[in-house]
Amino acid sequence: MRSALALLLVLPAAHSAPSACAAFDATTRTDPLLGPGISLSTPYTANLVPADAKPTMILTGANGGTLRYTVTRRSKVIATASTTATSIALPDAGPGAYQVEATLNGAGTCLRYGVAMPGATLDMDRLPPGRDWGGPAPAREV
């Protein structure tokens, strides 16, 4: 009878693609290769979708191919889809912080965006200067 540890050692390891978002979060890192000019963005200031707007993602630099993407909120998958479009409607899952991980022709990229609560506004000029002004911690995915 083999021990549980011995069984784990003989089982093949599951292969998973590295996360483009996790590569950006590493404390000691070099920016990951994202592919030839592929980028995701939103048409909103600081990627904050106003409460009354529909979340939209824009793919630029794509020269054909199928974009495969996953939208998560607090590590829970909200949507997974494939498309050839360059302007993509994202799920309207309410206020909060979201993350999109996408691949196109083997290159991966990451987009983080937020959806504002009704009545909330973002005034970039009124934010305190500096890199760490006491905002929420990264562990809270914001």
Side-chain angles (χ1 to χ4, degrees):
M1 177 186 250
R2 291 182 173 174
S3 71
L5 178 58
L7 285 174
L8 287 176
L9 293 175
V10 296
L11 293 175
H15 176 72
S16 63
S19 163
C21 292
F24 283 116
D25 292 339
T27 56
T28 56
R29 68 177 170 95
T30 56
D31 287 341
L33 178 64
L34 298 180
I38 299 166
S39 68
L40 298 175
S41 63
T42 69
Y44 313 105
T45 301
N47 290 338
L48 181 65
V49 181
D52 59 348
K54 176 76 176 150
T56 302
M57 175 174 69
I58 300 166
L59 171 66
T60 55
N63 294 324
T66 300
L67 179 75
R68 290 174 178 74
Y69 66 94
T70 300
V71 180
T72 57
R73 178 176 184 203
R74 295 186 179 176
S75 302
K76 180 182 175 193
V77 174
I78 304 295
T80 299
S82 297
T83 184
T84 57
T86 56
S87 181
I88 302 147
L90 295 169
D92 192 359
Y98 297 86
Q99 175 173 289
V100 178
E101 290 200 54
T103 57
L104 177 71
N105 300 331
T109 190
C110 177
L111 169 72
R112 293 190 171 124
Y113 69 97
V115 177
M117 293 176 55
T121 59
L122 174 63
D123 184 349
M124 298 297 284
D125 295 330
R126 295 192 66 189
L127 291 176
R131 194 175 138 206
D132 182 14
W133 48 270
R140 291 179 51 204
E141 295 184 325
V142 285

